[in-house]
């Protein structure tokens, strides 16, 4: 009888401990509606910039579409509209825009947009293949990575519906203050020159 009583007591104690751990876990996760760092990369600008960006009702960052720096049209019906290239505190340059599908059918994003680096390929679909070229300084800038190797750009774009549009961002090291223009290069798309603000 004492053995049975000991087993029951241990089961009750284990269940209580599990319930407490679950409650603490849920409490710890419940305070931030922004999701994990990996989730944030797919729909919003990185928190490291410190800038307040416009957001939609779902909390997703929305690019300022009041101006257009460049429109890049490529084969396959995709069109990148670049709305901003802004210097952020800390030496970053954030490019924002919209990816549109101008075709009459759902179109799938090319794998080449992910980039060729092994470390970024393992993180899944992204725009990590995007680069900026400063022709004056003769330097190429790649999308920044976080400490886990995830690119600081919109991730998870696998397809865009016919006529649909998806906001995007990509964060780069900022060129010197003397640089006012850079070329933006996206794999399989023509190169365009954009102004830095």
């Amino acid at each position: 009888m004492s053995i049975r009583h000991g087993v029951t007591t241990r089961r009750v104690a284990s269940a209580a401990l599990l319930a407490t751990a679950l409650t603490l876990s849920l409490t710890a996760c419940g305070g931030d509606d922004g999701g994990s760092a990996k989730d944030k990369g797919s729909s919003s600008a990185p928190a490291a910039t410190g800038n307040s960006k416009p957001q939609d009702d779902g909390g997703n960052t929305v690019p300022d579409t009041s101006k257009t720096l460049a429109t890049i049209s490529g084969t396959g019906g995709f069109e990148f509209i670049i709305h901003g290239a802004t210097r952020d505190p800390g030496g970053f340059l954030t490019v924002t825009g919209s990816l549109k599908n101008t075709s009459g059918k759902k179109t799938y994003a090319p794998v080449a947009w992910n980039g060729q680096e092994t470390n970024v390929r393992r993180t899944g679909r992204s725009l990590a293949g995007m680069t900026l070229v400063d022709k004056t300084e003769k330097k190429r800038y790649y999308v920044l990575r976080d400490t886990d190797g995830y690119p600081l750009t919109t991730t998870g774009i696998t397809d865009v519906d016919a006529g649909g549009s998806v906001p995007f961002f990509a964060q780069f090291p900022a060129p010197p203050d003397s640089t006012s223009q850079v070329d933006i290069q996206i794999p399989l798309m023509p190169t365009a020159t954009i102004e830095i603000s």
Side-chain angles (χ1 to χ4, degrees), residues 105-182:
K105 61 181 181 177
K106 179 185 277 193
T107 306
Y108 294 87
V111 175
W113 290 354
N114 299 350
Q116 295 300 314
E117 296 175 48
T118 305
N119 203 30
V120 227
R121 287 167 126 183
R122 72 175 177 79
T123 63
R125 289 307 191 90
S126 71
L127 298 176
M130 188 183 298
T131 59
L132 299 179
V133 176
D134 180 350
K135 290 190 282 192
T136 306
E137 296 289 324
K138 297 185 170 124
K139 288 185 179 177
R140 180 183 303 273
Y141 297 93
Y142 294 88
V143 172
L144 291 168
R145 316 299 193 239
D146 68 14
T147 53
D148 294 325
Y150 286 85
L152 297 181
T153 182
T154 302
T155 59
I157 300 175
T158 55
D159 58 67
V160 181
D161 289 333
S165 179
V166 177
F168 74 87
F169 81 94
Q171 194 171 52
F172 301 87
D177 290 341
S178 57
T179 300
S180 60
Q181 289 185 338
V182 288

Side-chain angles (χ1 to χ4, degrees), residues 6-7 15 28 30 53 61 67 80 83 92 111 122 124-125 165 174 197:
V7 170
K53 308 236 188 250
T61 298
K67 62 181 179 178
F80 282 87
H83 297 297
F92 304 115
V111 175
R122 72 175 177 79
R125 289 307 191 90
S165 179
S197 59

